[in-house]
Structures are given as structure tokens and as C-alpha cells.
Amino acid sequence: MSVNPMTYEAQFFGFTPQTCMLRIYIAFQDYLFEVMQAVEQVLVKKLDGVSNCDISPIQIRKCTEKFLGFMKGRFDSLFGKMEQLFLQLILHIPPNILLPEDKFQELHSYSEEQFQLLKEEIEQLQEKYKTELCAKQALLAELEEQSVVQARLRQTLTLFDELINVGRHHGTSDFRESLVSLVQNSRKLQDLRGHIEREGASLETS
Amino acid sequence: FDEIIVDIAMKRKQYPRKILEYVINTIKTKQE
Amino acid sequence: GTPVSRVKLLDTMVDTFLQKLVAAGSFQRFTDCYKRFYQLQPDVTQRVHDKFITQLQTSIWEEITEIKQEGNMEAVLNALDQIVEEGKGRTEPAWRPSGVPEEDLRSTIVPYFLQQRDTLRRRVQRQEVENQQLAEAVLARRRQVEQLQLQVQARQQAWQALYREQRELVAVLREP
């Protein structure tokens, strides 16, 4: 007969139902023996008090053994029935019942390959997340760099603007025009000077 | 035999929870 | 219809067991075994038998009470009643340990891995959206920088032209 280890019940109770029943059996049996022993002691003691009594303790012992033999037989048979009922109705987890700590088992029955796939997907997602974070760092770094470059370029433009403002401040609205007019004026001055020099020279000679 | 059954049953009851704690801590640490 | 609680069942079974055991140890049978003593002292025999019965019952009930207290059995059995009550809706056999710990453990861990996967999916998605926005900002900035560079270049060229004309002026001024 294959023994049902009742492991699932042991998981719930913390002991095997059979052990529990054995413990109860032994305890009950001990009580039966103890009580029988007490009965016999009382009867023997009672006999001591009776004069000319022809019942010996040995005979009392034989009566006890006879009575106990019968009781033990009935005890074992009754206990066997009670044990069966205990194991079927009390210390038993019905086959359709799942213990709370195992509730995941029915929510997620994953095969090995599904489990592997799930782990791989998690690893891929982790890699992807790292990549995205790196991309974010790179983008932020470029934005930072662009801010510096923009500031530098705006600074340069400001410099140019200031140069123009300096010119304006001294009456030249447009450098280029003023330079051209400067060149033209210089040329006129040079012609004038040339003319004056020539006049001077002719005066000396006359 | 009885002790073995109880030992296995207790492991089945307790170990998943313990292992789960480690798994959850590992996941949290990885995320951090 | 209503399920009997396991604790009540237990008490009933022990009670029945005791009743039958007491019935087996009837006074009749007791006196059959202790016939000569009974003939000698029938009253004592009656009292001893009564004592035997009450003592046996008391001891056995004390043992049951002790077992109930020791393992907190009543609470455990009531908890089992509760679990069975909650699970009574289903008829097919429930899961049982397969005997392969790795296999059984997988299902315990899977919900947390699924949770981790979903968290990671959300984070990756959120980061992708954020990076998309950052990338657009970078592109816009690149265009702005390009514009600025062109502006600076134009100004620079204008000034360089000016510089050339300045040199021309100097040349003119230097003419003999």
C-alpha cells in the first residue's frame, strides 16, 4: 500500500497528520493502561482489607489482563476508524484547495522557456534603458555645449554691435561710407596739397 | 521519514518567501 | 448544507470514540472479567467501574485539550476551514508541489519579474519620449547656432572688407 505522506497537509500544519494521530493514539493508549493499572491497584488494596479472602492478586491480574485485552482490541478498532475520519475530514486539505502561500502557482504557471524569455526581455529592457540614459546624457551635454557656443557667438555679435555704436557715438553712422568719404577727402586734400606745392614753387621761381 | 516530510514541507512553505525577499532586493538594487 | 467546523468535527469524533469505548467497557463486561471480586464486593466493583470510566474520559479530554492548546490547533483548524470555504467554488484539482523546487519557485518569482519588466517598459518609454524632445531641442539649437555663425561670418567679412579699404586709405595717404 503506497503511503500518502500528506506533505501538503504538513506544509500547512507544520506536522504530518499521521504523526499527530500517532501522538493521540499513544496518549490515549497510555491513559487506558494507566487507568487499568489504577483499577487493579484499588481492587488489590480492597482485597487486603477482606479477611479469609481466597482471591489472590495474581487472579486479579489475570482479570485485568482479560478486561484490558478486550478493551485494547475495541480501542484499536475504534481508534482506527476515528483516525481515518480525522485524516479524511479534519487534518486534510481537499484536492481542490490551494494554500494561500501557493496562490501564485495558479496565477502564473510559467514554463522554463517562458521564464527564460521573460528574463531575456528584462535584460534587453535594462540595456535599452541604459542606452536611452546615455543618449539623454549626450543630448544634455550637446545642449550645454550649444548654450556656450551660442553665448560666445552672441558675445561676438555684441562686440560688432558695440563697434558700430562707437562709430555712431563719434558721428559716423556707417563705417564703410565714412571710410570711403575719408578716402575721397584724403585724395582731395592730396590734390590740394599738390596744387599748393606747385603754386608755391612757381612763386619762388618768379 | 516523518521528519523528512515535515522538513521538506517547511522548506516549501518558507523558502519561496525567503528567496522572494532576495529576488525583490536584487531587482530593487538593479533598479537603483 | 452548512459545513461543520473542523474543531466541532474533532470534538464530535472524540466524543463518539469515547462513547463507544465506554460502551465496550460496560459494567457487564467489567463484572464478567472481575466476576469473583464482583461477587465478593459488588458495591466496590460498581464504584471502581464508575471511577474507571470517568477517569478514562477525563484523561482523554484533557489530552485533547492539551493538543488543541499546544499547537494552537483550534485557530489552525479554523484557518483551514476559512481557506476551504474560500476555495469551495472551484472543482478541478488545485496545484500541488511538483517535487521540482526550481519549477515551483518560478511561479512564485514570475509576478515580480513581470512587475519589473512593466516598470522597465514604462521607464524606457518615458525616456524615449524625453530623449525625443531633447533631440528636437538639440536640432533646433543647431539651427540657431548655424544662424548665429552665419551672422558672425557676415559681420566678420564686412569688417575684413573695411580693413582692406583702410589699408587702401593708408596707401593713399602715404602716396608721395
Side-chain angles (χ1 to χ4, degrees):
Chain A
M1 177 189 93
S2 71
V3 174
N4 169 15
M6 298 184 87
T7 322
Y8 207 51
E9 282 76 6
Q11 183 177 323
F12 177 75
F13 288 109
F15 53 77
T16 53
Q18 293 93 332
T19 311
C20 181
M21 293 317 291
L22 180 63
R23 145 95 197 258
I24 296 174
Y25 175 82
I26 291 170
F28 283 13
Q29 180 183 251
D30 287 353
Y31 291 129
L32 179 61
F33 290 164
E34 279 165 24
V35 173
M36 280 314 301
Q37 201 172 19
V39 161
E40 183 182 86
Q41 280 164 6
V42 166
L43 294 180
V44 167
K45 204 174 285 178
K46 290 293 180 195
L47 283 181
D48 289 351
V50 174
S51 57
N52 305 328
C53 169
D54 60 349
I55 303 175
S56 68
I58 297 294
Q59 283 166 321
I60 291 293
R61 166 56 52 102
K62 283 196 179 349
C63 299
T64 307
E65 281 167 358
K66 182 181 170 192
F67 184 68
L68 181 54
F70 173 77
M71 287 300 282
K72 182 70 170 61
R74 291 293 291 141
F75 173 90
D76 285 343
S77 145
L78 288 169
F79 193 90
K81 289 194 181 72
M82 182 172 75
E83 179 182 26
Q84 225 171 0
L85 288 172
F86 260 64
L87 297 182
Q88 279 166 17
L89 301 176
I90 297 179
L91 303 175
H92 170 62
I93 296 179
N96 65 320
I97 296 299
L98 191 65
L99 290 178
E101 64 258 31
D102 293 330
K103 67 176 181 299
F104 286 125
Q105 296 299 343
E106 299 209 319
L107 293 176
H108 304 280
S109 58
Y110 257 54
S111 64
E112 173 68 33
E113 47 277 4
Q114 283 174 313
F115 191 66
Q116 284 312 323
L117 285 175
L118 177 58
K119 285 207 287 187
E120 282 160 21
E121 185 181 357
I122 287 172
E123 274 154 26
Q124 284 160 15
L125 283 167
Q126 272 161 349
E127 284 314 307
K128 192 160 175 41
Y129 187 53
K130 278 183 204 158
T131 310
E132 289 300 328
L133 283 180
C134 293
K136 175 183 174 180
Q137 297 310 324
L139 288 165
L140 289 175
E142 176 155 355
L143 278 175
E144 180 64 32
E145 200 181 322
Q146 285 172 338
S147 302
V148 170
V149 168
Q150 269 183 324
R152 189 74 52 80
L153 289 168
R154 286 204 177 97
Q155 205 178 24
T156 310
L157 284 175
T158 309
L159 182 70
F160 282 128
D161 290 345
E162 277 161 11
L163 280 176
I164 290 169
N165 290 339
V166 163
R168 271 201 198 105
H169 187 67
H170 293 282
T172 47
S173 59
D174 178 319
F175 262 107
R176 200 165 140 56
E177 280 166 20
S178 59
L179 200 62
V180 168
S181 68
L182 198 59
V183 168
Q184 284 163 358
N185 292 339
S186 310
R187 276 208 168 79
K188 281 178 193 160
L189 279 173
Q190 274 174 343
D191 296 348
L192 198 60
R193 191 191 68 179
H195 180 67
I196 291 165
E197 278 170 356
R198 282 193 299 277
E199 289 293 320
S202 65
L203 284 178
E204 279 171 6
T205 53
S206 55
Chain B
F1 186 49
D2 185 72
E3 280 164 13
I4 292 171
I5 292 171
V6 172
D7 182 45
I8 288 175
M10 286 304 102
K11 283 180 176 153
R12 281 178 178 168
K13 188 184 192 80
Q14 292 153 9
Y15 279 25
R17 229 189 336 240
K18 287 184 184 160
I19 293 171
L20 212 43
E21 279 167 27
Y22 284 105
V23 167
I24 292 170
N25 286 337
T26 308
I27 289 176
K28 278 189 183 147
T29 313
K30 271 190 181 176
Q31 277 177 357
E32 278 155 25
Chain C
T2 51
V4 179
S5 81
R6 280 173 167 72
V7 173
K8 190 159 180 46
L9 258 181
L10 185 151
D11 291 344
T12 309
M13 283 184 201
V14 172
D15 191 43
T16 309
F17 166 79
L18 264 177
Q19 280 175 30
K20 294 190 175 183
L21 190 63
V22 165
S26 65
F27 185 60
Q28 176 59 46
R29 188 156 284 124
F30 190 75
T31 51
D32 284 352
C33 294
Y34 292 97
K35 193 184 295 298
R36 296 184 58 200
F37 185 92
Y38 172 65
Q39 284 155 0
L40 193 66
Q41 302 202 13
D43 295 349
V44 170
T45 312
Q46 179 65 59
R47 281 204 306 278
V48 168
H49 178 262
D50 293 348
K51 187 69 183 153
F52 161 73
I53 295 298
T54 48
Q55 188 56 44
L56 188 60
Q57 287 171 324
T58 308
S59 308
I60 283 181
W61 277 118
E62 278 171 3
E63 176 65 18
I64 289 293
T65 307
E66 190 183 321
I67 285 178
K68 280 184 185 175
Q69 282 161 2
E70 192 184 283
N72 199 13
M73 193 59 116
E74 288 211 17
V76 171
L77 291 176
N78 291 335
L80 184 51
D81 286 341
Q82 181 70 25
I83 292 169
V84 171
E85 180 62 21
E86 284 161 9
K88 72 180 179 187
R90 56 171 303 154
T91 51
E92 70 280 1
W95 175 88
R96 284 292 183 268
S98 64
V100 181
E102 298 81 0
E103 209 170 288
D104 297 352
L105 201 57
R106 247 197 324 257
S107 304
T108 309
I109 292 177
V110 156
Y112 294 87
F113 275 26
L114 288 172
Q115 198 178 6
Q116 186 194 16
R117 181 198 62 185
D118 296 346
T119 306
L120 276 169
R121 274 180 178 169
R122 276 198 304 279
R123 285 192 175 182
V124 166
Q125 213 163 19
R126 203 166 49 223
Q127 198 54 58
E128 281 173 342
V129 168
E130 185 185 347
N131 285 355
Q132 183 58 37
Q133 289 158 2
L134 282 174
E136 281 158 15
V138 164
L139 290 176
R141 274 289 181 84
R142 279 183 190 167
R143 283 192 289 278
Q144 288 167 18
V145 166
E146 248 166 61
Q147 288 305 317
L148 282 172
Q149 273 168 336
L150 291 174
Q151 285 178 42
V152 166
Q153 215 165 0
R155 298 287 187 81
Q156 201 175 358
Q157 281 160 5
W159 278 98
Q160 272 160 354
L162 209 57
Y163 177 65
R164 277 195 298 279
E165 280 162 12
Q166 187 207 21
R167 286 171 61 87
E168 194 185 313
L169 171 64
V170 168
V172 165
L173 289 179
R174 265 210 202 105
E175 273 166 18

